Amino acid sequence: MNMIAVAEQYLAFRRKLGFALHIEGEQLLRFARYAERIGHKGPLTVELALQWAKLSHCSTINHARRLDIVRRFARYLKHSVAQTEVPPEGVFGPSYRRVPPHIYSEEEVLALMGACRRLTPAKGLRPHTYATLFGLLACTGMRISEALRLCTDDFDAVQGMITVVEGKFHKSRILPLHPSCVSALRAYGELRERRHPATGAFFVTEVGTSLKYLKVLMTFRGIADSLGWARDTRIHGLRHTFAVRRLLQWYRDGEDIHRRIGQLSTYLGHCKMADTYWYLSAVPELMA
């Protein structure tokens, strides 16, 4: 068996079904190359899978994730190669664990926005870009990847909404916006057009190119460090904050959460309602 060729065949099959498999695909090919490198012959075995999963010097949860990737591959192989051994579940414990989210206070959000406006160059586009980007994440709960993929045509200032095209799990959705958000996006759009007319991306760099995630992450990390925030403070916390605050406000308003939560799930672009219900246990106020 040529493990690399079979792995590529498996990845091509799953991608035709709509799975992106960026990280998982690369990890599986590393497993296949490892099998070839050590001269493994014959079908996939549990021993081979465990050897590769434990190669990385990291936590057991990462070992479990690596084994999960091989397990899915083995299940696929089992249909054509009966001797394939499917690794059992739970060998390294759970492969997924939700970490407690950081819920930003109003003061922290204001501090973040203020730090963005102080970025250099002082008279450039960059301070406006980051203040508008993080402000949008805070008041819509959008994923950072969705915000960075926004095109100028995705924002409708007249109707006061944003269209998220092909978000996570290939789900598109329309987000009605608060008037203050519409005003901020319109102001940024007008400034961007004056500096870089006819650009396709909504959020752009100082030179007019589309903003990239790694650059945003580095900028956020620099701001967080300057504000003295913990190293585990993440951009994704703005999404958590949006969801938690919305649920808390509904409780305070006497709303029926189980009737409303479907709206929140749709707005956030969740694939499973269970992902939205998780927020009910995210902070002590909601647990109570």
Side-chain angles (χ1 to χ4, degrees), residues 229-263:
W229 291 354
R231 292 294 298 176
D232 59 354
T233 308
R234 302 187 301 152
I235 296 174
H236 202 66
L238 293 170
R239 179 172 167 87
H240 294 319
T241 301
F242 170 84
V244 165
R245 285 191 177 177
R246 183 65 273 169
L247 288 169
L248 283 171
Q249 191 59 50
W250 276 335
Y251 268 120
R252 289 165 184 156
D253 293 343
E255 296 281 355
D256 182 350
I257 294 297
H258 300 295
R259 184 174 63 84
R260 284 288 202 171
I261 203 162
Q263 299 171 0

PDB file of all heavy atoms in Angstrom, residues 229-263:
ATOM      1  N   TRP A 229      -2.802  42.942  29.418  1.00  0.00           N
ATOM      2  CA  TRP A 229      -3.736  41.817  29.435  1.00  0.00           C
ATOM      3  C   TRP A 229      -2.984  40.494  29.456  1.00  0.00           C
ATOM      4  O   TRP A 229      -1.840  40.404  29.012  1.00  0.00           O
ATOM      5  CB  TRP A 229      -4.644  41.861  28.205  1.00  0.00           C
ATOM      6  CG  TRP A 229      -5.628  43.004  28.227  1.00  0.00           C
ATOM      7  CD1 TRP A 229      -5.845  43.887  29.256  1.00  0.00           C
ATOM      8  CD2 TRP A 229      -6.510  43.389  27.165  1.00  0.00           C
ATOM      9  NE1 TRP A 229      -6.805  44.797  28.903  1.00  0.00           N
ATOM     10  CE2 TRP A 229      -7.253  44.516  27.635  1.00  0.00           C
ATOM     11  CE3 TRP A 229      -6.765  42.907  25.893  1.00  0.00           C
ATOM     12  CZ2 TRP A 229      -8.207  45.159  26.850  1.00  0.00           C
ATOM     13  CZ3 TRP A 229      -7.726  43.529  25.107  1.00  0.00           C
ATOM     14  CH2 TRP A 229      -8.429  44.650  25.590  1.00  0.00           C
ATOM     15  N   ALA A 230      -3.647  39.463  29.949  1.00  0.00           N
ATOM     16  CA  ALA A 230      -3.040  38.132  30.033  1.00  0.00           C
ATOM     17  C   ALA A 230      -2.715  37.605  28.640  1.00  0.00           C
ATOM     18  O   ALA A 230      -3.365  37.965  27.649  1.00  0.00           O
ATOM     19  CB  ALA A 230      -3.989  37.176  30.745  1.00  0.00           C
ATOM     20  N   ARG A 231      -1.722  36.715  28.573  1.00  0.00           N
ATOM     21  CA  ARG A 231      -1.286  36.180  27.279  1.00  0.00           C
ATOM     22  C   ARG A 231      -2.362  35.329  26.606  1.00  0.00           C
ATOM     23  O   ARG A 231      -2.334  35.132  25.392  1.00  0.00           O
ATOM     24  CB  ARG A 231      -0.025  35.333  27.464  1.00  0.00           C
ATOM     25  CG  ARG A 231       1.210  36.118  27.852  1.00  0.00           C
ATOM     26  CD  ARG A 231       1.676  37.060  26.767  1.00  0.00           C
ATOM     27  NE  ARG A 231       2.050  36.363  25.557  1.00  0.00           N
ATOM     28  CZ  ARG A 231       2.423  36.977  24.424  1.00  0.00           C
ATOM     29  NH1 ARG A 231       2.449  38.295  24.371  1.00  0.00           N
ATOM     30  NH2 ARG A 231       2.740  36.270  23.352  1.00  0.00           N
ATOM     31  N   ASP A 232      -3.306  34.803  27.395  1.00  0.00           N
ATOM     32  CA  ASP A 232      -4.341  33.961  26.796  1.00  0.00           C
ATOM     33  C   ASP A 232      -5.558  34.773  26.333  1.00  0.00           C
ATOM     34  O   ASP A 232      -6.562  34.202  25.911  1.00  0.00           O
ATOM     35  CB  ASP A 232      -4.774  32.867  27.766  1.00  0.00           C
ATOM     36  CG  ASP A 232      -5.336  33.425  29.079  1.00  0.00           C
ATOM     37  OD1 ASP A 232      -5.283  34.659  29.273  1.00  0.00           O
ATOM     38  OD2 ASP A 232      -5.824  32.631  29.892  1.00  0.00           O
ATOM     39  N   THR A 233      -5.481  36.102  26.395  1.00  0.00           N
ATOM     40  CA  THR A 233      -6.559  36.939  25.873  1.00  0.00           C
ATOM     41  C   THR A 233      -6.569  36.837  24.359  1.00  0.00           C
ATOM     42  O   THR A 233      -5.538  37.010  23.712  1.00  0.00           O
ATOM     43  CB  THR A 233      -6.356  38.410  26.290  1.00  0.00           C
ATOM     44  OG1 THR A 233      -6.174  38.474  27.692  1.00  0.00           O
ATOM     45  CG2 THR A 233      -7.556  39.249  25.897  1.00  0.00           C
ATOM     46  N   ARG A 234      -7.748  36.538  23.796  1.00  0.00           N
ATOM     47  CA  ARG A 234      -7.823  36.282  22.359  1.00  0.00           C
ATOM     48  C   ARG A 234      -8.850  37.179  21.673  1.00  0.00           C
ATOM     49  O   ARG A 234      -9.772  37.683  22.301  1.00  0.00           O
ATOM     50  CB  ARG A 234      -8.192  34.818  22.104  1.00  0.00           C
ATOM     51  CG  ARG A 234      -7.228  33.801  22.709  1.00  0.00           C
ATOM     52  CD  ARG A 234      -7.596  32.397  22.254  1.00  0.00           C
ATOM     53  NE  ARG A 234      -8.949  32.046  22.641  1.00  0.00           N
ATOM     54  CZ  ARG A 234      -9.727  31.179  21.992  1.00  0.00           C
ATOM     55  NH1 ARG A 234      -9.259  30.577  20.915  1.00  0.00           N
ATOM     56  NH2 ARG A 234     -10.948  30.897  22.414  1.00  0.00           N
ATOM     57  N   ILE A 235      -8.679  37.334  20.368  1.00  0.00           N
ATOM     58  CA  ILE A 235      -9.647  38.075  19.562  1.00  0.00           C
ATOM     59  C   ILE A 235     -11.012  37.401  19.641  1.00  0.00           C
ATOM     60  O   ILE A 235     -12.044  38.066  19.692  1.00  0.00           O
ATOM     61  CB  ILE A 235      -9.174  38.156  18.092  1.00  0.00           C
ATOM     62  CG1 ILE A 235      -7.869  38.945  17.990  1.00  0.00           C
ATOM     63  CG2 ILE A 235     -10.235  38.799  17.209  1.00  0.00           C
ATOM     64  CD1 ILE A 235      -7.255  38.948  16.591  1.00  0.00           C
ATOM     65  N   HIS A 236     -11.011  36.061  19.650  1.00  0.00           N
ATOM     66  CA  HIS A 236     -12.262  35.303  19.651  1.00  0.00           C
ATOM     67  C   HIS A 236     -13.103  35.607  20.892  1.00  0.00           C
ATOM     68  O   HIS A 236     -14.308  35.360  20.906  1.00  0.00           O
ATOM     69  CB  HIS A 236     -11.967  33.807  19.574  1.00  0.00           C
ATOM     70  CG  HIS A 236     -13.106  32.990  19.045  1.00  0.00           C
ATOM     71  ND1 HIS A 236     -13.560  33.097  17.751  1.00  0.00           N
ATOM     72  CD2 HIS A 236     -13.896  32.061  19.646  1.00  0.00           C
ATOM     73  CE1 HIS A 236     -14.572  32.267  17.567  1.00  0.00           C
ATOM     74  NE2 HIS A 236     -14.800  31.625  18.703  1.00  0.00           N
ATOM     75  N   GLY A 237     -12.465  36.164  21.933  1.00  0.00           N
ATOM     76  CA  GLY A 237     -13.201  36.540  23.129  1.00  0.00           C
ATOM     77  C   GLY A 237     -14.269  37.589  22.859  1.00  0.00           C
ATOM     78  O   GLY A 237     -15.263  37.676  23.582  1.00  0.00           O
ATOM     79  N   LEU A 238     -14.083  38.387  21.806  1.00  0.00           N
ATOM     80  CA  LEU A 238     -15.086  39.387  21.450  1.00  0.00           C
ATOM     81  C   LEU A 238     -16.381  38.710  20.996  1.00  0.00           C
ATOM     82  O   LEU A 238     -17.481  39.193  21.261  1.00  0.00           O
ATOM     83  CB  LEU A 238     -14.548  40.307  20.346  1.00  0.00           C
ATOM     84  CG  LEU A 238     -13.374  41.204  20.752  1.00  0.00           C
ATOM     85  CD1 LEU A 238     -12.769  41.876  19.520  1.00  0.00           C
ATOM     86  CD2 LEU A 238     -13.826  42.260  21.768  1.00  0.00           C
ATOM     87  N   ARG A 239     -16.247  37.582  20.315  1.00  0.00           N
ATOM     88  CA  ARG A 239     -17.415  36.809  19.888  1.00  0.00           C
ATOM     89  C   ARG A 239     -18.120  36.205  21.104  1.00  0.00           C
ATOM     90  O   ARG A 239     -19.350  36.248  21.207  1.00  0.00           O
ATOM     91  CB  ARG A 239     -16.961  35.713  18.916  1.00  0.00           C
ATOM     92  CG  ARG A 239     -18.073  34.792  18.400  1.00  0.00           C
ATOM     93  CD  ARG A 239     -17.492  33.907  17.298  1.00  0.00           C
ATOM     94  NE  ARG A 239     -18.344  32.793  16.926  1.00  0.00           N
ATOM     95  CZ  ARG A 239     -19.321  32.840  16.021  1.00  0.00           C
ATOM     96  NH1 ARG A 239     -19.591  33.980  15.414  1.00  0.00           N
ATOM     97  NH2 ARG A 239     -20.025  31.766  15.716  1.00  0.00           N
ATOM     98  N   HIS A 240     -17.329  35.632  22.014  1.00  0.00           N
ATOM     99  CA  HIS A 240     -17.905  35.094  23.245  1.00  0.00           C
ATOM    100  C   HIS A 240     -18.638  36.187  24.028  1.00  0.00           C
ATOM    101  O   HIS A 240     -19.725  35.961  24.568  1.00  0.00           O
ATOM    102  CB  HIS A 240     -16.807  34.498  24.128  1.00  0.00           C
ATOM    103  CG  HIS A 240     -16.132  33.294  23.555  1.00  0.00           C
ATOM    104  ND1 HIS A 240     -16.814  32.298  22.902  1.00  0.00           N
ATOM    105  CD2 HIS A 240     -14.825  32.921  23.558  1.00  0.00           C
ATOM    106  CE1 HIS A 240     -15.964  31.358  22.523  1.00  0.00           C
ATOM    107  NE2 HIS A 240     -14.755  31.714  22.904  1.00  0.00           N
ATOM    108  N   THR A 241     -18.018  37.359  24.090  1.00  0.00           N
ATOM    109  CA  THR A 241     -18.603  38.466  24.842  1.00  0.00           C
ATOM    110  C   THR A 241     -19.945  38.871  24.260  1.00  0.00           C
ATOM    111  O   THR A 241     -20.914  39.117  24.994  1.00  0.00           O
ATOM    112  CB  THR A 241     -17.640  39.673  24.844  1.00  0.00           C
ATOM    113  OG1 THR A 241     -16.393  39.263  25.433  1.00  0.00           O
ATOM    114  CG2 THR A 241     -18.210  40.827  25.641  1.00  0.00           C
ATOM    115  N   PHE A 242     -20.018  38.943  22.942  1.00  0.00           N
ATOM    116  CA  PHE A 242     -21.269  39.313  22.276  1.00  0.00           C
ATOM    117  C   PHE A 242     -22.373  38.330  22.644  1.00  0.00           C
ATOM    118  O   PHE A 242     -23.494  38.731  23.013  1.00  0.00           O
ATOM    119  CB  PHE A 242     -21.072  39.343  20.763  1.00  0.00           C
ATOM    120  CG  PHE A 242     -22.355  39.474  19.988  1.00  0.00           C
ATOM    121  CD1 PHE A 242     -22.925  40.716  19.775  1.00  0.00           C
ATOM    122  CD2 PHE A 242     -23.000  38.358  19.478  1.00  0.00           C
ATOM    123  CE1 PHE A 242     -24.113  40.842  19.075  1.00  0.00           C
ATOM    124  CE2 PHE A 242     -24.182  38.465  18.773  1.00  0.00           C
ATOM    125  CZ  PHE A 242     -24.748  39.720  18.577  1.00  0.00           C
ATOM    126  N   ALA A 243     -22.081  37.041  22.534  1.00  0.00           N
ATOM    127  CA  ALA A 243     -23.090  36.014  22.797  1.00  0.00           C
ATOM    128  C   ALA A 243     -23.552  36.042  24.250  1.00  0.00           C
ATOM    129  O   ALA A 243     -24.755  35.987  24.546  1.00  0.00           O
ATOM    130  CB  ALA A 243     -22.538  34.639  22.445  1.00  0.00           C
ATOM    131  N   VAL A 244     -22.612  36.130  25.171  1.00  0.00           N
ATOM    132  CA  VAL A 244     -22.949  36.127  26.597  1.00  0.00           C
ATOM    133  C   VAL A 244     -23.771  37.349  26.978  1.00  0.00           C
ATOM    134  O   VAL A 244     -24.773  37.257  27.689  1.00  0.00           O
ATOM    135  CB  VAL A 244     -21.659  36.046  27.434  1.00  0.00           C
ATOM    136  CG1 VAL A 244     -21.932  36.410  28.894  1.00  0.00           C
ATOM    137  CG2 VAL A 244     -21.065  34.646  27.355  1.00  0.00           C
ATOM    138  N   ARG A 245     -23.372  38.510  26.484  1.00  0.00           N
ATOM    139  CA  ARG A 245     -24.103  39.736  26.823  1.00  0.00           C
ATOM    140  C   ARG A 245     -25.528  39.720  26.259  1.00  0.00           C
ATOM    141  O   ARG A 245     -26.453  40.234  26.878  1.00  0.00           O
ATOM    142  CB  ARG A 245     -23.344  40.959  26.300  1.00  0.00           C
ATOM    143  CG  ARG A 245     -22.125  41.309  27.129  1.00  0.00           C
ATOM    144  CD  ARG A 245     -21.569  42.641  26.741  1.00  0.00           C
ATOM    145  NE  ARG A 245     -20.441  43.013  27.568  1.00  0.00           N
ATOM    146  CZ  ARG A 245     -19.737  44.126  27.395  1.00  0.00           C
ATOM    147  NH1 ARG A 245     -20.059  44.954  26.419  1.00  0.00           N
ATOM    148  NH2 ARG A 245     -18.723  44.407  28.181  1.00  0.00           N
ATOM    149  N   ARG A 246     -25.670  39.136  25.062  1.00  0.00           N
ATOM    150  CA  ARG A 246     -27.004  39.075  24.462  1.00  0.00           C
ATOM    151  C   ARG A 246     -27.922  38.195  25.311  1.00  0.00           C
ATOM    152  O   ARG A 246     -29.068  38.542  25.579  1.00  0.00           O
ATOM    153  CB  ARG A 246     -26.896  38.518  23.045  1.00  0.00           C
ATOM    154  CG  ARG A 246     -28.191  38.444  22.248  1.00  0.00           C
ATOM    155  CD  ARG A 246     -28.761  39.812  21.969  1.00  0.00           C
ATOM    156  NE  ARG A 246     -29.611  40.266  23.063  1.00  0.00           N
ATOM    157  CZ  ARG A 246     -30.078  41.495  23.189  1.00  0.00           C
ATOM    158  NH1 ARG A 246     -29.764  42.420  22.303  1.00  0.00           N
ATOM    159  NH2 ARG A 246     -30.860  41.828  24.190  1.00  0.00           N
ATOM    160  N   LEU A 247     -27.404  37.049  25.744  1.00  0.00           N
ATOM    161  CA  LEU A 247     -28.195  36.137  26.573  1.00  0.00           C
ATOM    162  C   LEU A 247     -28.534  36.772  27.917  1.00  0.00           C
ATOM    163  O   LEU A 247     -29.672  36.664  28.403  1.00  0.00           O
ATOM    164  CB  LEU A 247     -27.433  34.828  26.780  1.00  0.00           C
ATOM    165  CG  LEU A 247     -27.345  33.913  25.551  1.00  0.00           C
ATOM    166  CD1 LEU A 247     -26.346  32.782  25.793  1.00  0.00           C
ATOM    167  CD2 LEU A 247     -28.716  33.329  25.207  1.00  0.00           C
ATOM    168  N   LEU A 248     -27.563  37.427  28.529  1.00  0.00           N
ATOM    169  CA  LEU A 248     -27.811  38.079  29.809  1.00  0.00           C
ATOM    170  C   LEU A 248     -28.888  39.160  29.683  1.00  0.00           C
ATOM    171  O   LEU A 248     -29.757  39.293  30.551  1.00  0.00           O
ATOM    172  CB  LEU A 248     -26.516  38.691  30.349  1.00  0.00           C
ATOM    173  CG  LEU A 248     -25.516  37.717  30.980  1.00  0.00           C
ATOM    174  CD1 LEU A 248     -24.203  38.420  31.265  1.00  0.00           C
ATOM    175  CD2 LEU A 248     -26.083  37.106  32.253  1.00  0.00           C
ATOM    176  N   GLN A 249     -28.822  39.925  28.590  1.00  0.00           N
ATOM    177  CA  GLN A 249     -29.815  40.978  28.406  1.00  0.00           C
ATOM    178  C   GLN A 249     -31.201  40.402  28.200  1.00  0.00           C
ATOM    179  O   GLN A 249     -32.197  40.942  28.701  1.00  0.00           O
ATOM    180  CB  GLN A 249     -29.437  41.866  27.217  1.00  0.00           C
ATOM    181  CG  GLN A 249     -30.271  43.141  27.107  1.00  0.00           C
ATOM    182  CD  GLN A 249     -30.161  44.007  28.353  1.00  0.00           C
ATOM    183  OE1 GLN A 249     -29.067  44.304  28.824  1.00  0.00           O
ATOM    184  NE2 GLN A 249     -31.310  44.391  28.923  1.00  0.00           N
ATOM    185  N   TRP A 250     -31.299  39.296  27.477  1.00  0.00           N
ATOM    186  CA  TRP A 250     -32.602  38.650  27.296  1.00  0.00           C
ATOM    187  C   TRP A 250     -33.160  38.161  28.628  1.00  0.00           C
ATOM    188  O   TRP A 250     -34.355  38.282  28.893  1.00  0.00           O
ATOM    189  CB  TRP A 250     -32.478  37.483  26.319  1.00  0.00           C
ATOM    190  CG  TRP A 250     -32.553  37.904  24.874  1.00  0.00           C
ATOM    191  CD1 TRP A 250     -33.165  39.013  24.374  1.00  0.00           C
ATOM    192  CD2 TRP A 250     -32.003  37.208  23.748  1.00  0.00           C
ATOM    193  NE1 TRP A 250     -33.031  39.051  23.002  1.00  0.00           N
ATOM    194  CE2 TRP A 250     -32.330  37.961  22.594  1.00  0.00           C
ATOM    195  CE3 TRP A 250     -31.277  36.033  23.609  1.00  0.00           C
ATOM    196  CZ2 TRP A 250     -31.944  37.569  21.314  1.00  0.00           C
ATOM    197  CZ3 TRP A 250     -30.890  35.632  22.335  1.00  0.00           C
ATOM    198  CH2 TRP A 250     -31.224  36.397  21.198  1.00  0.00           C
ATOM    199  N   TYR A 251     -32.303  37.602  29.471  1.00  0.00           N
ATOM    200  CA  TYR A 251     -32.757  37.173  30.800  1.00  0.00           C
ATOM    201  C   TYR A 251     -33.282  38.377  31.596  1.00  0.00           C
ATOM    202  O   TYR A 251     -34.332  38.312  32.238  1.00  0.00           O
ATOM    203  CB  TYR A 251     -31.614  36.499  31.565  1.00  0.00           C
ATOM    204  CG  TYR A 251     -31.550  35.001  31.384  1.00  0.00           C
ATOM    205  CD1 TYR A 251     -30.417  34.400  30.836  1.00  0.00           C
ATOM    206  CD2 TYR A 251     -32.610  34.192  31.770  1.00  0.00           C
ATOM    207  CE1 TYR A 251     -30.349  33.021  30.673  1.00  0.00           C
ATOM    208  CE2 TYR A 251     -32.545  32.813  31.617  1.00  0.00           C
ATOM    209  CZ  TYR A 251     -31.406  32.243  31.065  1.00  0.00           C
ATOM    210  OH  TYR A 251     -31.349  30.881  30.906  1.00  0.00           O
ATOM    211  N   ARG A 252     -32.534  39.482  31.554  1.00  0.00           N
ATOM    212  CA  ARG A 252     -32.936  40.684  32.306  1.00  0.00           C
ATOM    213  C   ARG A 252     -34.246  41.263  31.777  1.00  0.00           C
ATOM    214  O   ARG A 252     -35.016  41.857  32.533  1.00  0.00           O
ATOM    215  CB  ARG A 252     -31.823  41.724  32.223  1.00  0.00           C
ATOM    216  CG  ARG A 252     -30.584  41.336  33.042  1.00  0.00           C
ATOM    217  CD  ARG A 252     -29.378  42.155  32.670  1.00  0.00           C
ATOM    218  NE  ARG A 252     -28.183  41.707  33.396  1.00  0.00           N
ATOM    219  CZ  ARG A 252     -26.949  41.904  32.962  1.00  0.00           C
ATOM    220  NH1 ARG A 252     -26.725  42.540  31.802  1.00  0.00           N
ATOM    221  NH2 ARG A 252     -25.920  41.463  33.667  1.00  0.00           N
ATOM    222  N   ASP A 253     -34.474  41.077  30.467  1.00  0.00           N
ATOM    223  CA  ASP A 253     -35.702  41.590  29.856  1.00  0.00           C
ATOM    224  C   ASP A 253     -36.878  40.622  30.011  1.00  0.00           C
ATOM    225  O   ASP A 253     -37.981  40.902  29.522  1.00  0.00           O
ATOM    226  CB  ASP A 253     -35.481  41.859  28.356  1.00  0.00           C
ATOM    227  CG  ASP A 253     -34.504  43.008  28.119  1.00  0.00           C
ATOM    228  OD1 ASP A 253     -34.262  43.780  29.066  1.00  0.00           O
ATOM    229  OD2 ASP A 253     -33.982  43.121  26.992  1.00  0.00           O
ATOM    230  N   GLY A 254     -36.622  39.472  30.645  1.00  0.00           N
ATOM    231  CA  GLY A 254     -37.688  38.504  30.853  1.00  0.00           C
ATOM    232  C   GLY A 254     -38.048  37.708  29.609  1.00  0.00           C
ATOM    233  O   GLY A 254     -39.145  37.146  29.514  1.00  0.00           O
ATOM    234  N   GLU A 255     -37.134  37.625  28.652  1.00  0.00           N
ATOM    235  CA  GLU A 255     -37.400  36.886  27.413  1.00  0.00           C
ATOM    236  C   GLU A 255     -37.306  35.381  27.642  1.00  0.00           C
ATOM    237  O   GLU A 255     -36.621  34.912  28.561  1.00  0.00           O
ATOM    238  CB  GLU A 255     -36.391  37.290  26.334  1.00  0.00           C
ATOM    239  CG  GLU A 255     -36.469  38.745  25.903  1.00  0.00           C
ATOM    240  CD  GLU A 255     -37.604  38.997  24.934  1.00  0.00           C
ATOM    241  OE1 GLU A 255     -38.272  38.027  24.527  1.00  0.00           O
ATOM    242  OE2 GLU A 255     -37.817  40.177  24.570  1.00  0.00           O
ATOM    243  N   ASP A 256     -37.996  34.621  26.800  1.00  0.00           N
ATOM    244  CA  ASP A 256     -37.907  33.161  26.822  1.00  0.00           C
ATOM    245  C   ASP A 256     -36.648  32.750  26.058  1.00  0.00           C
ATOM    246  O   ASP A 256     -36.611  32.814  24.829  1.00  0.00           O
ATOM    247  CB  ASP A 256     -39.150  32.556  26.160  1.00  0.00           C
ATOM    248  CG  ASP A 256     -39.137  31.026  26.185  1.00  0.00           C
ATOM    249  OD1 ASP A 256     -38.091  30.444  26.538  1.00  0.00           O
ATOM    250  OD2 ASP A 256     -40.166  30.420  25.830  1.00  0.00           O
ATOM    251  N   ILE A 257     -35.611  32.350  26.782  1.00  0.00           N
ATOM    252  CA  ILE A 257     -34.318  32.036  26.169  1.00  0.00           C
ATOM    253  C   ILE A 257     -34.444  30.926  25.129  1.00  0.00           C
ATOM    254  O   ILE A 257     -33.836  30.982  24.062  1.00  0.00           O
ATOM    255  CB  ILE A 257     -33.280  31.647  27.235  1.00  0.00           C
ATOM    256  CG1 ILE A 257     -32.968  32.851  28.119  1.00  0.00           C
ATOM    257  CG2 ILE A 257     -31.996  31.126  26.578  1.00  0.00           C
ATOM    258  CD1 ILE A 257     -32.339  34.023  27.391  1.00  0.00           C
ATOM    259  N   HIS A 258     -35.246  29.917  25.427  1.00  0.00           N
ATOM    260  CA  HIS A 258     -35.347  28.777  24.507  1.00  0.00           C
ATOM    261  C   HIS A 258     -36.083  29.142  23.213  1.00  0.00           C
ATOM    262  O   HIS A 258     -35.963  28.437  22.217  1.00  0.00           O
ATOM    263  CB  HIS A 258     -36.017  27.599  25.209  1.00  0.00           C
ATOM    264  CG  HIS A 258     -35.254  27.142  26.407  1.00  0.00           C
ATOM    265  ND1 HIS A 258     -33.997  26.594  26.316  1.00  0.00           N
ATOM    266  CD2 HIS A 258     -35.547  27.193  27.728  1.00  0.00           C
ATOM    267  CE1 HIS A 258     -33.546  26.308  27.529  1.00  0.00           C
ATOM    268  NE2 HIS A 258     -34.462  26.663  28.402  1.00  0.00           N
ATOM    269  N   ARG A 259     -36.807  30.242  23.239  1.00  0.00           N
ATOM    270  CA  ARG A 259     -37.427  30.732  22.008  1.00  0.00           C
ATOM    271  C   ARG A 259     -36.469  31.641  21.254  1.00  0.00           C
ATOM    272  O   ARG A 259     -36.431  31.651  20.027  1.00  0.00           O
ATOM    273  CB  ARG A 259     -38.713  31.496  22.338  1.00  0.00           C
ATOM    274  CG  ARG A 259     -39.486  31.971  21.105  1.00  0.00           C
ATOM    275  CD  ARG A 259     -40.819  32.582  21.507  1.00  0.00           C
ATOM    276  NE  ARG A 259     -40.655  33.765  22.337  1.00  0.00           N
ATOM    277  CZ  ARG A 259     -40.441  35.000  21.839  1.00  0.00           C
ATOM    278  NH1 ARG A 259     -40.350  35.184  20.533  1.00  0.00           N
ATOM    279  NH2 ARG A 259     -40.319  36.024  22.653  1.00  0.00           N
ATOM    280  N   ARG A 260     -35.683  32.386  22.010  1.00  0.00           N
ATOM    281  CA  ARG A 260     -34.772  33.360  21.415  1.00  0.00           C
ATOM    282  C   ARG A 260     -33.460  32.755  20.918  1.00  0.00           C
ATOM    283  O   ARG A 260     -32.830  33.287  20.020  1.00  0.00           O
ATOM    284  CB  ARG A 260     -34.445  34.437  22.457  1.00  0.00           C
ATOM    285  CG  ARG A 260     -35.554  35.438  22.695  1.00  0.00           C
ATOM    286  CD  ARG A 260     -35.685  36.364  21.514  1.00  0.00           C
ATOM    287  NE  ARG A 260     -36.338  37.611  21.875  1.00  0.00           N
ATOM    288  CZ  ARG A 260     -36.427  38.659  21.063  1.00  0.00           C
ATOM    289  NH1 ARG A 260     -35.884  38.584  19.859  1.00  0.00           N
ATOM    290  NH2 ARG A 260     -37.036  39.757  21.441  1.00  0.00           N
ATOM    291  N   ILE A 261     -33.037  31.656  21.522  1.00  0.00           N
ATOM    292  CA  ILE A 261     -31.682  31.161  21.265  1.00  0.00           C
ATOM    293  C   ILE A 261     -31.482  30.731  19.822  1.00  0.00           C
ATOM    294  O   ILE A 261     -30.371  30.782  19.296  1.00  0.00           O
ATOM    295  CB  ILE A 261     -31.326  30.011  22.243  1.00  0.00           C
ATOM    296  CG1 ILE A 261     -29.802  29.907  22.377  1.00  0.00           C
ATOM    297  CG2 ILE A 261     -31.961  28.694  21.802  1.00  0.00           C
ATOM    298  CD1 ILE A 261     -29.345  29.145  23.591  1.00  0.00           C
ATOM    299  N   GLY A 262     -32.557  30.349  19.142  1.00  0.00           N
ATOM    300  CA  GLY A 262     -32.448  30.016  17.726  1.00  0.00           C
ATOM    301  C   GLY A 262     -32.045  31.219  16.893  1.00  0.00           C
ATOM    302  O   GLY A 262     -31.295  31.100  15.910  1.00  0.00           O
ATOM    303  N   GLN A 263     -32.526  32.410  17.289  1.00  0.00           N
ATOM    304  CA  GLN A 263     -32.140  33.625  16.584  1.00  0.00           C
ATOM    305  C   GLN A 263     -30.651  33.917  16.778  1.00  0.00           C
ATOM    306  O   GLN A 263     -29.949  34.295  15.835  1.00  0.00           O
ATOM    307  CB  GLN A 263     -32.980  34.802  17.091  1.00  0.00           C
ATOM    308  CG  GLN A 263     -34.476  34.632  16.858  1.00  0.00           C
ATOM    309  CD  GLN A 263     -35.287  35.702  17.557  1.00  0.00           C
ATOM    310  OE1 GLN A 263     -34.740  36.584  18.220  1.00  0.00           O
ATOM    311  NE2 GLN A 263     -36.604  35.626  17.422  1.00  0.00           N
TER     312      GLN A 263
END
